[in-house]
Amino acid sequence: MTHWFHRNPLKATAPVSFNFYGVAGSQAANKICNDLRTTRARLLEMFTDSTCNPEIMKNASDAYFSLLQGLIASLDGTTQENKLRFIQNFKWIDTLQGNIPSAQQDAIFELISMAFNVAIWHTKFASRLAGKENVTEVEAKDVHRSLKLAAGIFKHLKEAHIPRLITPAEKGRDLEPRVIDTYMIQCQAEAQEVTIARAIELKHNATLIAALAFETANFYQKADHTLNTLEPECSSKWRKYLQLKQHFYMAYAYCYHGQTLLASDKCGESIRSLQEAEKCYSRAEALCKEYRQTKGPGSTAKPSEQLFFTKLGGLIKNTLQKCERENGFIYFHKVPAEAPQLELKASYGLADPMSFEFPALSEQCTPEVYSTFDLTKGAKNEKAKPKQEEEVKPVKEPDLKPQKDTGTINVQEMHLL
């Protein structure tokens, strides 16, 4: 299902030399600085390498993060701040703010920003994998896992690391609560989409599918409401995507709930539920057009062109016609004026954020090596520092080429995730 998911751009960052101009007073200290520079550069390369997979990404990010924590963790046996935390300036562009960079002289800001990009990469990897012509069982699980891991990274950053920043995130920036919460919730909702697609493919009972669709629609509604106080110029397109997905899955919920009602001989209520499904589906179609016409950051998804989208329209129509025939021949039930209130709870298939922790401190970062970093030497070498600021260039991301859409996942003899 190529172009099924909306994706905001990767964060861009200025190059960092980690040249501390005399502060590193030993060969081992200089090696840490060199390794920080090379592992950072390699990790940035992996973000745009179309052959990169989650294992390669984990190895590249762990290599950098384990060294970076040598600028953050306390290494002198005290509870005092690491003396190297504020030695280097880092500059990052946010996913919603165009080419306007944020800069902080704080290693925790770098840790958070780079990990944020790792999470964004996982969402893009999941989107690319889901866009294959025939998604296998293993690949479907990889899509599901990448989305849950991305949600876990966003959750961990928000709870454990963003509160440690000296300078709070500005409004509309990636690290402020509204934005990072929306990313996390969207990842959970999209992971549940994988579960719903598999449940439909395996013909699980309508009650479970309706409940999963209802929970997923609620996730999308929550994500949309989280952004409603953000400036429209940077959030309108993203919000249109969240809204169209909310109405699409509400249509699924009402459609399958209608099937459940019919199976319980509640034909009149079933008809009303399916009529509501039609309304939600029509609204989702309209929102698809509005989404395509709305300007804003990110790639433009094309959900209304996908078989998974168009199949639902046919399913609603056919099921409603069946219910109306049955009601005219057998039940003769009155169709309620009000749509049924959906109070559905899914017992299985809900996607919680995956637990995430940064890797352990690199073995290179010992107290002995730490003691050879002398901040007083840095002042003497201040004149040696280059005066020009490094430019932040936008990330050139690989193109996602459309593939033939089968609208299905190859899921023989599988259980719900």
Side-chain angles (χ1 to χ4, degrees):
M1 295 192 295
T2 310
H3 300 314
W4 179 251
F5 300 118
H6 171 89
R7 289 292 177 260
N8 289 325
L10 283 162
K11 293 167 71 68
T13 182
V16 179
S17 68
F18 292 102
N19 188 339
F20 294 156
Y21 305 100
V23 170
S26 68
Q27 187 175 351
N30 277 312
K31 185 176 189 312
I32 288 174
C33 295
N34 290 334
D35 289 350
L36 277 166
R37 181 172 60 254
T38 56
T39 55
R40 186 182 198 264
R42 170 162 171 74
L43 178 52
L44 292 174
E45 287 176 5
M46 291 302 99
F47 289 141
T48 56
D49 186 340
S50 59
T51 64
C52 183
N53 60 39
E55 183 181 0
I56 294 171
M57 178 55 64
K58 177 172 171 53
N59 290 338
S61 59
D62 280 1
Y64 179 56
F65 290 144
S66 64
L67 286 166
L68 185 63
Q69 289 191 87
L71 310 185
I72 298 169
S74 178
L75 296 174
D76 57 3
T78 72
T79 57
Q80 290 185 336
E81 202 74 70
N82 187 311
K83 65 186 178 184
L84 302 176
R85 175 179 168 180
F86 305 107
I87 194 173
Q88 176 70 57
N89 190 55
F90 300 96
K91 190 182 292 185
W92 284 87
I93 283 175
D94 294 87
T95 57
L96 301 179
Q97 299 293 333
N99 294 325
I100 305 170
S102 296
Q104 290 194 33
Q105 193 151 326
D106 187 345
I108 290 181
F109 175 70
E110 166 74 357
L111 183 79
I112 296 167
S113 299
M114 190 67 83
F116 194 103
N117 237 20
V118 172
I120 293 289
W121 178 88
H122 276 285
T123 70
K124 289 176 180 283
F125 173 80
S127 180
R128 188 167 68 247
L129 195 56
K132 292 185 63 177
E133 185 171 337
N134 289 297
V135 181
T136 66
E137 171 187 343
V138 172
E139 288 167 337
K141 288 184 176 180
D142 285 344
V143 172
H144 193 256
R145 185 183 185 281
S146 282
L147 290 167
K148 292 205 301 177
L149 178 56
I153 294 172
F154 290 130
K155 184 174 188 286
H156 182 65
L157 294 179
K158 182 192 173 186
E159 294 177 353
H161 297 281
I162 290 176
R164 299 175 65 191
L165 288 172
I166 303 298
T167 306
E170 298 173 29
K171 290 182 178 180
R173 298 288 183 176
D174 288 337
L175 308 188
E176 72 120 310
R178 292 174 298 179
V179 177
I180 200 165
D181 278 348
T182 303
Y183 275 116
M184 182 178 70
I185 298 164
Q186 180 182 334
C187 288
Q188 290 178 264
E190 290 178 348
Q192 286 184 194
E193 288 193 58
V194 179
T195 305
I196 292 168
R198 297 172 72 180
I200 292 168
E201 189 77 8
L202 291 173
K203 295 180 170 56
H204 278 273
N205 72 65
T207 303
L208 174 59
I209 295 170
L212 279 171
F214 181 62
E215 300 265 21
T216 303
N218 286 341
F219 265 133
Y220 278 118
Q221 183 180 51
K222 183 179 178 182
D224 175 47
H225 287 176
T226 304
L227 286 179
N228 65 7
T229 55
L230 213 60
E231 292 75 9
E233 58 268 20
C234 64
S235 64
S236 291
K237 189 176 187 69
W238 195 6
R239 290 192 65 196
K240 289 292 183 187
Y241 166 78
L242 299 171
Q243 290 163 13
L244 76 85
K245 283 294 187 76
Q246 178 208 340
H247 283 83
F248 178 70
Y249 281 102
M250 282 303 292
Y252 252 117
Y254 276 115
C255 178
Y256 278 88
H257 185 56
Q259 293 182 25
T260 301
L261 291 169
L262 180 61
S264 303
D265 296 323
K266 297 177 181 178
C267 197
E269 293 177 46
S270 174
I271 290 171
R272 187 63 188 86
S273 186
L274 285 151
Q275 289 173 342
E276 196 65 22
E278 272 192 327
K279 286 174 60 178
C280 291
Y281 186 77
S282 294
R283 181 61 184 138
E285 285 184 310
L287 282 163
C288 284
K289 294 178 183 177
E290 293 175 26
Y291 166 73
R292 285 196 300 270
Q293 294 166 358
T294 303
K295 294 182 179 180
S299 60
T300 299
K302 300 174 183 175
S304 61
E305 298 177 9
Q306 311 303 317
L307 284 177
F308 189 65
F309 191 98
T310 56
K311 278 182 178 180
L312 176 58
L315 178 64
I316 293 169
K317 181 181 178 181
N318 293 337
T319 309
L320 178 56
Q321 289 175 347
K322 176 186 175 182
C323 289
E324 289 173 337
R325 286 196 305 271
E326 295 293 308
N327 203 42
F329 280 105
I330 302 171
Y331 295 102
F332 305 102
H333 289 168
K334 183 180 178 180
V335 178
E338 297 293 325
Q341 291 294 313
L342 298 183
E343 297 178 356
L344 308 172
K345 289 286 182 185
S347 302
Y348 307 98
L350 295 178
D352 291 323
M354 187 178 292
S355 177
F356 173 81
E357 294 288 340
F358 284 106
L361 181 69
S362 169
E363 293 179 355
Q364 292 176 241
C365 303
T366 64
E368 291 74 24
V369 176
Y370 178 75
S371 67
T372 66
F373 284 95
D374 187 351
L375 296 186
T376 63
K377 300 287 179 64
K380 298 177 183 177
N381 291 274
E382 193 71 27
K383 292 180 181 178
K385 293 186 179 182
K387 298 299 180 185
Q388 71 272 17
E389 289 194 359
E390 291 283 5
E391 182 185 356
V392 184
K393 297 178 181 178
V395 179
K396 187 174 181 180
E397 301 185 35
D399 290 332
L400 183 63
K401 296 180 180 178
Q403 298 187 36
K404 182 179 177 182
D405 180 24
T406 62
T408 62
I409 297 173
N410 183 11
V411 285
Q412 297 175 354
E413 298 180 1
M414 290 167 55
H415 299 287
L416 287 179
L417 289 167

PDB file of all heavy atoms in Angstrom, residues 123-142:
ATOM      1  N   THR A 123       9.400   5.011  11.199  1.00  0.00           N
ATOM      2  CA  THR A 123       8.075   5.194  10.583  1.00  0.00           C
ATOM      3  C   THR A 123       8.197   5.171   9.059  1.00  0.00           C
ATOM      4  O   THR A 123       7.314   4.643   8.368  1.00  0.00           O
ATOM      5  CB  THR A 123       7.415   6.520  11.017  1.00  0.00           C
ATOM      6  OG1 THR A 123       8.095   7.648  10.447  1.00  0.00           O
ATOM      7  CG2 THR A 123       7.374   6.649  12.533  1.00  0.00           C
ATOM      8  N   LYS A 124       9.279   5.730   8.529  1.00  0.00           N
ATOM      9  CA  LYS A 124       9.477   5.731   7.077  1.00  0.00           C
ATOM     10  C   LYS A 124       9.826   4.341   6.570  1.00  0.00           C
ATOM     11  O   LYS A 124       9.396   3.936   5.480  1.00  0.00           O
ATOM     12  CB  LYS A 124      10.559   6.748   6.703  1.00  0.00           C
ATOM     13  CG  LYS A 124      10.100   8.201   6.873  1.00  0.00           C
ATOM     14  CD  LYS A 124      11.223   9.187   6.597  1.00  0.00           C
ATOM     15  CE  LYS A 124      10.741  10.621   6.768  1.00  0.00           C
ATOM     16  NZ  LYS A 124       9.943  11.106   5.631  1.00  0.00           N
ATOM     17  N   PHE A 125      10.610   3.598   7.351  1.00  0.00           N
ATOM     18  CA  PHE A 125      10.917   2.216   6.977  1.00  0.00           C
ATOM     19  C   PHE A 125       9.626   1.398   6.926  1.00  0.00           C
ATOM     20  O   PHE A 125       9.401   0.620   5.986  1.00  0.00           O
ATOM     21  CB  PHE A 125      11.898   1.600   7.986  1.00  0.00           C
ATOM     22  CG  PHE A 125      12.132   0.120   7.772  1.00  0.00           C
ATOM     23  CD1 PHE A 125      13.008  -0.322   6.786  1.00  0.00           C
ATOM     24  CD2 PHE A 125      11.474  -0.821   8.554  1.00  0.00           C
ATOM     25  CE1 PHE A 125      13.219  -1.674   6.578  1.00  0.00           C
ATOM     26  CE2 PHE A 125      11.671  -2.191   8.354  1.00  0.00           C
ATOM     27  CZ  PHE A 125      12.545  -2.608   7.362  1.00  0.00           C
ATOM     28  N   ALA A 126       8.766   1.569   7.928  1.00  0.00           N
ATOM     29  CA  ALA A 126       7.492   0.843   7.957  1.00  0.00           C
ATOM     30  C   ALA A 126       6.639   1.203   6.741  1.00  0.00           C
ATOM     31  O   ALA A 126       6.027   0.327   6.116  1.00  0.00           O
ATOM     32  CB  ALA A 126       6.734   1.165   9.244  1.00  0.00           C
ATOM     33  N   SER A 127       6.603   2.480   6.396  1.00  0.00           N
ATOM     34  CA  SER A 127       5.820   2.932   5.239  1.00  0.00           C
ATOM     35  C   SER A 127       6.358   2.331   3.945  1.00  0.00           C
ATOM     36  O   SER A 127       5.587   1.875   3.091  1.00  0.00           O
ATOM     37  CB  SER A 127       5.851   4.457   5.168  1.00  0.00           C
ATOM     38  OG  SER A 127       5.107   4.931   4.072  1.00  0.00           O
ATOM     39  N   ARG A 128       7.684   2.323   3.813  1.00  0.00           N
ATOM     40  CA  ARG A 128       8.303   1.768   2.605  1.00  0.00           C
ATOM     41  C   ARG A 128       8.041   0.269   2.488  1.00  0.00           C
ATOM     42  O   ARG A 128       7.724  -0.239   1.405  1.00  0.00           O
ATOM     43  CB  ARG A 128       9.801   2.060   2.636  1.00  0.00           C
ATOM     44  CG  ARG A 128      10.537   1.701   1.359  1.00  0.00           C
ATOM     45  CD  ARG A 128      11.939   2.286   1.329  1.00  0.00           C
ATOM     46  NE  ARG A 128      12.833   1.687   2.303  1.00  0.00           N
ATOM     47  CZ  ARG A 128      13.343   2.318   3.343  1.00  0.00           C
ATOM     48  NH1 ARG A 128      13.006   3.578   3.579  1.00  0.00           N
ATOM     49  NH2 ARG A 128      14.169   1.716   4.175  1.00  0.00           N
ATOM     50  N   LEU A 129       8.132  -0.433   3.610  1.00  0.00           N
ATOM     51  CA  LEU A 129       7.920  -1.882   3.594  1.00  0.00           C
ATOM     52  C   LEU A 129       6.453  -2.212   3.316  1.00  0.00           C
ATOM     53  O   LEU A 129       6.145  -3.154   2.568  1.00  0.00           O
ATOM     54  CB  LEU A 129       8.355  -2.478   4.942  1.00  0.00           C
ATOM     55  CG  LEU A 129       8.538  -3.992   5.026  1.00  0.00           C
ATOM     56  CD1 LEU A 129       9.530  -4.475   3.969  1.00  0.00           C
ATOM     57  CD2 LEU A 129       9.007  -4.392   6.415  1.00  0.00           C
ATOM     58  N   ALA A 130       5.552  -1.432   3.896  1.00  0.00           N
ATOM     59  CA  ALA A 130       4.123  -1.651   3.660  1.00  0.00           C
ATOM     60  C   ALA A 130       3.741  -1.363   2.219  1.00  0.00           C
ATOM     61  O   ALA A 130       2.692  -1.814   1.745  1.00  0.00           O
ATOM     62  CB  ALA A 130       3.294  -0.768   4.595  1.00  0.00           C
ATOM     63  N   GLY A 131       4.599  -0.608   1.497  1.00  0.00           N
ATOM     64  CA  GLY A 131       4.327  -0.263   0.113  1.00  0.00           C
ATOM     65  C   GLY A 131       4.731  -1.324  -0.887  1.00  0.00           C
ATOM     66  O   GLY A 131       4.541  -1.143  -2.085  1.00  0.00           O
ATOM     67  N   LYS A 132       5.276  -2.447  -0.415  1.00  0.00           N
ATOM     68  CA  LYS A 132       5.646  -3.520  -1.333  1.00  0.00           C
ATOM     69  C   LYS A 132       4.406  -4.167  -1.934  1.00  0.00           C
ATOM     70  O   LYS A 132       3.321  -4.134  -1.359  1.00  0.00           O
ATOM     71  CB  LYS A 132       6.490  -4.570  -0.605  1.00  0.00           C
ATOM     72  CG  LYS A 132       7.860  -4.069  -0.182  1.00  0.00           C
ATOM     73  CD  LYS A 132       8.699  -5.180   0.416  1.00  0.00           C
ATOM     74  CE  LYS A 132       9.000  -6.285  -0.587  1.00  0.00           C
ATOM     75  NZ  LYS A 132       9.859  -7.325  -0.026  1.00  0.00           N
ATOM     76  N   GLU A 133       4.582  -4.800  -3.088  1.00  0.00           N
ATOM     77  CA  GLU A 133       3.433  -5.370  -3.796  1.00  0.00           C
ATOM     78  C   GLU A 133       2.763  -6.485  -3.005  1.00  0.00           C
ATOM     79  O   GLU A 133       1.553  -6.533  -2.882  1.00  0.00           O
ATOM     80  CB  GLU A 133       3.875  -5.901  -5.168  1.00  0.00           C
ATOM     81  CG  GLU A 133       2.720  -6.390  -6.010  1.00  0.00           C
ATOM     82  CD  GLU A 133       3.149  -6.712  -7.434  1.00  0.00           C
ATOM     83  OE1 GLU A 133       4.170  -6.177  -7.899  1.00  0.00           O
ATOM     84  OE2 GLU A 133       2.444  -7.512  -8.075  1.00  0.00           O
ATOM     85  N   ASN A 134       3.538  -7.397  -2.470  1.00  0.00           N
ATOM     86  CA  ASN A 134       2.990  -8.474  -1.636  1.00  0.00           C
ATOM     87  C   ASN A 134       3.762  -8.516  -0.325  1.00  0.00           C
ATOM     88  O   ASN A 134       4.920  -8.918  -0.291  1.00  0.00           O
ATOM     89  CB  ASN A 134       3.093  -9.837  -2.346  1.00  0.00           C
ATOM     90  CG  ASN A 134       2.133  -9.947  -3.509  1.00  0.00           C
ATOM     91  OD1 ASN A 134       0.924  -9.889  -3.319  1.00  0.00           O
ATOM     92  ND2 ASN A 134       2.670 -10.094  -4.716  1.00  0.00           N
ATOM     93  N   VAL A 135       3.117  -8.089   0.732  1.00  0.00           N
ATOM     94  CA  VAL A 135       3.763  -8.025   2.040  1.00  0.00           C
ATOM     95  C   VAL A 135       3.622  -9.381   2.729  1.00  0.00           C
ATOM     96  O   VAL A 135       2.518  -9.873   2.947  1.00  0.00           O
ATOM     97  CB  VAL A 135       3.134  -6.914   2.911  1.00  0.00           C
ATOM     98  CG1 VAL A 135       3.833  -6.840   4.264  1.00  0.00           C
ATOM     99  CG2 VAL A 135       3.224  -5.569   2.198  1.00  0.00           C
ATOM    100  N   THR A 136       4.765  -9.995   3.054  1.00  0.00           N
ATOM    101  CA  THR A 136       4.752 -11.319   3.671  1.00  0.00           C
ATOM    102  C   THR A 136       4.450 -11.214   5.166  1.00  0.00           C
ATOM    103  O   THR A 136       4.401 -10.114   5.737  1.00  0.00           O
ATOM    104  CB  THR A 136       6.114 -12.005   3.497  1.00  0.00           C
ATOM    105  OG1 THR A 136       7.096 -11.262   4.236  1.00  0.00           O
ATOM    106  CG2 THR A 136       6.517 -12.062   2.029  1.00  0.00           C
ATOM    107  N   GLU A 137       4.303 -12.353   5.798  1.00  0.00           N
ATOM    108  CA  GLU A 137       4.058 -12.403   7.248  1.00  0.00           C
ATOM    109  C   GLU A 137       5.192 -11.741   8.014  1.00  0.00           C
ATOM    110  O   GLU A 137       4.958 -10.910   8.904  1.00  0.00           O
ATOM    111  CB  GLU A 137       3.911 -13.857   7.697  1.00  0.00           C
ATOM    112  CG  GLU A 137       3.864 -14.045   9.201  1.00  0.00           C
ATOM    113  CD  GLU A 137       3.886 -15.508   9.596  1.00  0.00           C
ATOM    114  OE1 GLU A 137       3.626 -16.370   8.740  1.00  0.00           O
ATOM    115  OE2 GLU A 137       4.170 -15.782  10.774  1.00  0.00           O
ATOM    116  N   VAL A 138       6.429 -12.063   7.656  1.00  0.00           N
ATOM    117  CA  VAL A 138       7.586 -11.498   8.356  1.00  0.00           C
ATOM    118  C   VAL A 138       7.635  -9.988   8.158  1.00  0.00           C
ATOM    119  O   VAL A 138       7.889  -9.228   9.098  1.00  0.00           O
ATOM    120  CB  VAL A 138       8.889 -12.158   7.852  1.00  0.00           C
ATOM    121  CG1 VAL A 138      10.119 -11.440   8.418  1.00  0.00           C
ATOM    122  CG2 VAL A 138       8.912 -13.635   8.241  1.00  0.00           C
ATOM    123  N   GLU A 139       7.372  -9.533   6.940  1.00  0.00           N
ATOM    124  CA  GLU A 139       7.415  -8.095   6.654  1.00  0.00           C
ATOM    125  C   GLU A 139       6.301  -7.346   7.376  1.00  0.00           C
ATOM    126  O   GLU A 139       6.510  -6.234   7.872  1.00  0.00           O
ATOM    127  CB  GLU A 139       7.331  -7.868   5.137  1.00  0.00           C
ATOM    128  CG  GLU A 139       8.612  -8.276   4.423  1.00  0.00           C
ATOM    129  CD  GLU A 139       8.441  -8.348   2.919  1.00  0.00           C
ATOM    130  OE1 GLU A 139       7.293  -8.515   2.444  1.00  0.00           O
ATOM    131  OE2 GLU A 139       9.459  -8.252   2.200  1.00  0.00           O
ATOM    132  N   ALA A 140       5.113  -7.954   7.444  1.00  0.00           N
ATOM    133  CA  ALA A 140       4.005  -7.322   8.175  1.00  0.00           C
ATOM    134  C   ALA A 140       4.372  -7.147   9.645  1.00  0.00           C
ATOM    135  O   ALA A 140       4.074  -6.112  10.261  1.00  0.00           O
ATOM    136  CB  ALA A 140       2.737  -8.157   8.044  1.00  0.00           C
ATOM    137  N   LYS A 141       5.048  -8.143  10.211  1.00  0.00           N
ATOM    138  CA  LYS A 141       5.477  -8.045  11.604  1.00  0.00           C
ATOM    139  C   LYS A 141       6.555  -6.972  11.767  1.00  0.00           C
ATOM    140  O   LYS A 141       6.599  -6.269  12.786  1.00  0.00           O
ATOM    141  CB  LYS A 141       5.990  -9.399  12.103  1.00  0.00           C
ATOM    142  CG  LYS A 141       4.877 -10.422  12.318  1.00  0.00           C
ATOM    143  CD  LYS A 141       5.420 -11.720  12.893  1.00  0.00           C
ATOM    144  CE  LYS A 141       4.275 -12.686  13.194  1.00  0.00           C
ATOM    145  NZ  LYS A 141       4.755 -13.964  13.768  1.00  0.00           N
ATOM    146  N   ASP A 142       7.427  -6.835  10.758  1.00  0.00           N
ATOM    147  CA  ASP A 142       8.450  -5.790  10.804  1.00  0.00           C
ATOM    148  C   ASP A 142       7.826  -4.400  10.763  1.00  0.00           C
ATOM    149  O   ASP A 142       8.282  -3.478  11.453  1.00  0.00           O
ATOM    150  CB  ASP A 142       9.437  -5.953   9.644  1.00  0.00           C
ATOM    151  CG  ASP A 142      10.421  -7.098   9.860  1.00  0.00           C
ATOM    152  OD1 ASP A 142      10.544  -7.553  11.018  1.00  0.00           O
ATOM    153  OD2 ASP A 142      11.056  -7.533   8.878  1.00  0.00           O
TER     154      ASP A 142
END
